[in-house]
């Protein structure tokens, strides 16, 4: 069931904002204790917590995934899975290759200026366990790191009670050539990646989705290491005119709603007929879907159909919402694209459903949520690289600008700054 | 006074790490109260706090800097200042122009993929007051935003008791064409930028240095808006061989030490002779410098000369420290550059002192501190832009990959995702 609204959108904005407010404070004490345990006792604490929270009992030698386990996983995945995964890998790799930046420099009259671009040395990828163990998440987090040239890529993921991992996740890691995979999860895995233990050397950056304990731990270790953004609930905004097919639009809204009771599925349209038809289609299709209960809950709280007078109004609304996923189901999607200012990923036309982007179109599916597309970007190769400025001045080149540097240093009262120029041009005393 | 050490560096690393641990918790309650005041009472609270903390009494009409105030500032700056500033602006703008990224796309067989790059809509720049009111900081924070194409650039800076601002800062803003400058500072200014008040419309991102209250406020509003990194104490590592001039090296170390008692100035060298000479030069030059007391304190706690056997060892040490500023005062600096993996800005040769980069070489002086150059980059045009992925598939193109998408969705148990592909290829019922 999805309501049609027509009028003030302030209430809708307030509801959506409310949704992403998570209070990390409630989880902080327990997470801090776990992190301290890892920092002080390393592997010993890691294995203790793994037993306590995941029910799996390991020796330190058993937490790394073995070649046998990788091979065993291939026997468990469905037919066609490996081929589909390889197509996804090919497309994602090709898209991300385009993001790779080069070092550059300029040089003239004794002045050499540049920017050196290099990969981060080591990265840890968190992959959730259980029903949220998504092979696609492995691809989307690891492939930009691989393209960036990160030398050491580590994966951690919580084991089931029997110490087993999701075969789909293992196959995805293997296909990417990731060798270092550890069967640990939760705040303890984040702690191991941030501080290092006897079995798991520390990394420079931790990425990947996780539950509230994982997110709280990532926030806590931020500074020791870098982290990616902490994602809020998923969202789609479908912007449609009368050319849209109500069955397609409804199916796309439902694909978002099935993620999570907090997921938000919005349709904004200029067509009253479409609004009514989508409303009906949502009812009809929901009844046929496996994850019906999640969908109904999510649509009830965060699903809406918004009627507007014209496309301009729809575009202004989309820019204000700054959705994670934006579908332009309109007659001339490339024309509307020009006016879109804020969105994580933009899907054009009637045959570009959002799930296509989740799996294998190529662009990353890790996207800014909760309106942060106003200032954040999709996960990219750049998130795994860093830059250094490079400056060289010859003796003559420095001489030409020495007075200006000294005037500016003097103006700021930084006289030792001025002195560092001055000593280079005074007689040795 | 600077000590020469020779042997284990673990203690040094521990000392440097300790230095940057700031406990935000102590300031959180007061900052939270201020932010809440701004959120609930807007201008009224903003003016109250400005009176309380800065001693300046304003009406809402008086907090924006007027054209008269801008013009008056030009009469107060030193001779040559405006010309020096304009040279700095020219160089900084030219360097940052090279960082600008374009939107791009690829297109083949009914598939269009791209990345749309666009500026963040509005940015607020915090500029500290008093003796830390640095015109160079205005240039370094604002110019990348201007080059990025940010439409609205706002500046806030705390007034003195008479409600006056630093003339150098005002001239810098005026030279850059920044019109919206407000005479407010502290946590209340950060709150005004993040939530908006009657006089100051909210922005999407807040950048710029500030004291502990400003830093705590920026952390607190992070999520409502984006923020830049929160910088730790400044640092320099000079890597020198026997070709280096001890007077220059000493002067460069001292220019860093004068910033702050927490600033760190390190020399790592292969030459024992140089080590001894720099030690003496540091003593000699310090005696002549205005900010002698800060320098002595900072050198005592965080200044060191480290002797190593060869350049390889020196480079390994530099990569582990990942300094904010790295000077390569060696015979063949471009050869050493190849081995440098982690540093904010790298200064090559004997005539590229760090203060040159602070003011006018061109690269940004806002750099990653405390070893975060392992994963962070200098402030750049990219920090003021954001990206959206763009995907278009034709009906035929989707048909070619529909089975693979459905297999992957099925593998993850996301059947509504599968359904969104399926509805597009089944007969209308």
């Amino acid at each position: 069931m999805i309501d049609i609204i027509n009028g003030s959108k302030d209430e809708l904005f307030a509801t959506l904002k409310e949704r992403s407010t998570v209070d990390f404070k409630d989880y902080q004490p327990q997470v801090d204790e776990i992190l301290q345990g890892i920092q002080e006792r390393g592997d010993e604490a890691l294995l203790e917590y793994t037993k306590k929270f995941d029910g799996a009992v390991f020796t330190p030698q058993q937490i790394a995934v073995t070649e046998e386990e990788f091979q065993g996983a291939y026997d468990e995945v469905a037919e066609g899975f490996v081929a589909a995964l390889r197509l996804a890998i090919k497309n994602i790799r090709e898209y991300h290759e385009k993001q790779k930046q080069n070092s550059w420099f300029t040089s003239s009259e004794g002045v050499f200026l540049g920017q050196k671009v290099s990969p981060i040395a080591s990265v840890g990828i968190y992959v959730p366990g259980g029903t949220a163990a998504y092979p696609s998440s492995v691809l989307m987090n690891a492939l930009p790191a691989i393209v960036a040239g990160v030398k050491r890529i580590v994966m951690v993921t919580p084991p089931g009670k029997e110490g087993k991992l999701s075969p789909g996740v293992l196959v995805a890691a293997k296909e990417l050539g990731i060798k270092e995979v550890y069967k640990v999860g939760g705040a303890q895995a984040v702690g191991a990646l941030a501080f290092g233990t006897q079995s798991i050397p520390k990394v420079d950056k931790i990425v990947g989705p996780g539950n509230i304990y994982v997110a709280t731990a990532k926030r806590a270790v931020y500074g020791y290491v870098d982290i990616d953004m902490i994602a809020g609930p998923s969202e789609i905004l479908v912007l449609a005119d009368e050319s849209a097919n109500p069955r397609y639009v409804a199916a796309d809204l439902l694909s978002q709603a099935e993620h999570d009771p907090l997921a938000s599925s919005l349709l904004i349209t200029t067509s009253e007929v479409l609004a009514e038809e989508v409303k009906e289609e949502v009812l009809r299709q929901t009844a046929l879907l496996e994850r019906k209960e999640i969908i109904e809950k999510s649509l009830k709280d965060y699903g809406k159909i918004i009627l507007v007078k014209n496309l301009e109004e729809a575009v202004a609304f989309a820019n204000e919402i700054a959705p994670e996923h934006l579908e332009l189901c309109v007659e001339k999607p490339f024309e509307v694209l020009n006016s879109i200012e804020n969105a994580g990923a933009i899907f054009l036309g009637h045959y570009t459903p959002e799930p296509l982007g989740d799996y294998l179109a190529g662009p990353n599916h890790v996207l800014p949520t909760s309106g942060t597309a106003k200032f954040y970007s999709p996960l990219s190769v750049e998130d795994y690289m860093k830059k250094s400025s490079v400056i060289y001045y010859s003796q003559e080149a420095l001489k030409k600008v020495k007075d200006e540097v000294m005037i500016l240093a003097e103006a700021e009262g930084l006289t030792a700054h001025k002195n560092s120029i001055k000593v280079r041009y005074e007689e040795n005393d």
Side-chain angles (χ1 to χ4, degrees), chain A:
Chain A
M1 181 61 193
I2 187 164
D3 282 334
I4 301 180
I5 61 171
N6 192 337
S8 160
K9 284 136 214 158
D10 291 352
E11 205 184 318
L12 176 64
F13 275 99
T15 310
L16 289 179
K17 276 223 166 100
E18 191 62 30
R19 180 180 66 118
S20 59
T21 315
V22 177
D23 206 344
F24 291 95
K25 279 175 204 147
D26 300 345
Y27 303 87
Q28 198 73 53
Q30 199 187 341
V31 165
D32 282 348
E33 201 191 306
I34 295 169
L35 293 176
Q36 203 188 335
I38 299 292
Q39 229 176 338
E40 288 170 1
R41 298 186 295 122
D43 274 354
E44 188 189 317
L46 184 61
L47 298 175
E48 252 176 53
Y49 294 128
T50 302
K51 186 177 165 194
K52 183 173 169 187
F53 297 118
D54 301 313
V57 181
F58 292 132
T59 63
Q61 290 70 42
Q62 289 172 322
I63 62 168
V65 170
T66 62
E67 191 53 36
E68 268 184 348
E69 289 174 287
F70 279 126
Q71 290 308 330
Y74 278 82
D75 301 332
E76 293 185 54
V77 294
E79 206 189 314
F81 175 77
V82 175
L85 200 69
R86 286 178 184 168
L87 177 63
I89 291 171
K90 176 178 166 286
N91 288 351
I92 298 166
R93 190 190 293 269
E94 277 176 14
Y95 181 87
H96 286 80
E97 290 282 359
K98 302 269 173 198
Q99 292 176 331
K100 204 168 170 179
Q101 294 184 321
N102 292 317
S103 298
W104 55 261
F105 69 90
T106 63
S107 160
S108 75
E109 296 174 37
V111 175
F112 176 102
L113 297 175
Q115 187 169 275
K116 181 170 172 158
V117 187
S118 54
I120 291 174
S122 57
V123 167
I125 298 174
Y126 191 94
V127 180
T131 53
Y134 295 147
S136 62
S137 179
V138 176
L139 307 191
M140 292 297 184
N141 281 282
L143 274 165
I146 291 169
V147 171
V150 172
K151 275 187 206 135
R152 179 170 168 249
I153 300 175
V154 186
M155 215 174 87
V156 295
T157 182
K161 276 192 186 153
E162 274 73 48
K164 246 184 114 295
L165 298 184
S166 147
V169 162
L170 282 183
V171 168
K174 183 69 184 171
E175 289 291 317
L176 296 178
I178 300 175
K179 293 185 184 75
E180 219 182 317
V181 180
Y182 299 104
K183 293 177 272 183
V184 292
Q188 59 274 20
V190 174
L193 291 172
F195 308 124
T197 70
Q198 296 83 339
S199 302
I200 307 182
K202 87 181 283 296
V203 299
D204 292 317
K205 180 164 184 165
I206 302 175
V207 300
N211 64 19
I212 183 74
Y213 293 96
V214 173
T216 306
K218 277 168 69 180
R219 280 170 61 105
V221 300
Y222 178 49
Y224 289 91
V225 295
D226 191 22
I227 60 168
D228 60 352
M229 42 188 172
I230 293 182
S234 200
E235 3 169 88
I236 193 169
L237 174 64
V238 179
L239 192 160
D241 62 16
E242 65 289 343
S243 76
N245 183 320
R247 290 168 61 229
Y248 304 177
V249 171
D252 297 356
L253 293 172
L254 292 169
S255 78
Q256 198 62 24
E258 81 168 330
H259 270 297
D260 177 348
L262 289 172
S264 159
S265 310
L266 304 176
L267 164 63
I268 187 159
T269 181
T270 50
S271 160
E272 204 173 331
V273 176
L274 184 80
E276 292 293 348
E277 285 173 345
V278 169
K279 187 176 170 174
E280 267 171 51
E281 268 297 320
V282 162
L283 264 180
R284 192 187 66 82
Q285 292 184 29
T286 304
L288 306 169
L289 290 167
E290 277 179 33
R291 295 164 72 94
K292 202 178 145 202
E293 276 176 43
I294 299 174
I295 291 172
E296 282 173 349
K297 177 97 181 66
S298 135
L299 286 184
K300 181 173 159 285
D301 293 340
Y302 307 110
K304 285 282 177 289
I305 298 174
I306 302 132
L307 261 175
V308 286
K309 287 199 203 73
N310 49 45
L311 276 181
E312 289 68 44
E313 209 184 316
V315 166
F317 181 82
N319 283 331
E320 187 54 33
I321 287 266
E324 182 188 13
H325 305 102
L326 174 65
E327 284 191 5
L328 301 179
C329 299
V330 294
E331 213 189 329
K332 297 176 177 173
F334 283 91
E335 287 188 14
V336 175
L337 175 63
N338 293 328
S339 325
I340 299 300
E341 284 163 17
N342 307 315
I346 308 167
F347 302 80
L348 307 185
H350 305 307
Y351 290 90
T352 316
E354 187 271 344
L356 170 68
D358 282 347
Y359 293 112
L360 59 58
N364 212 287
H365 79 195
V366 181
L367 298 166
T369 57
S370 312
T372 58
K374 286 186 180 176
F375 39 79
Y376 288 142
S377 305
L379 185 69
S380 78
V381 172
E382 288 171 45
D383 292 304
Y384 297 97
M385 306 199 81
K386 68 216 162 41
K387 288 146 199 166
S388 302
S389 311
V390 180
I391 311 176
Y392 166 81
Y393 266 59
S394 69
Q395 188 171 4
E396 272 311 296
L398 181 63
K399 204 171 178 181
K400 278 188 207 154
V401 299
K402 71 180 173 48
D403 294 334
E404 283 83 359
V405 178
M406 289 195 285
I407 287 169
L408 292 170
E410 178 82 41
E412 297 190 351
L414 295 175
T415 42
H417 280 60
K418 182 179 170 184
N419 182 59
S420 92
I421 308 294
K422 206 166 129 235
V423 294
R424 283 169 163 87
Y425 294 94
E426 61 193 10
E427 291 301 304
N428 221 320
D429 30 283

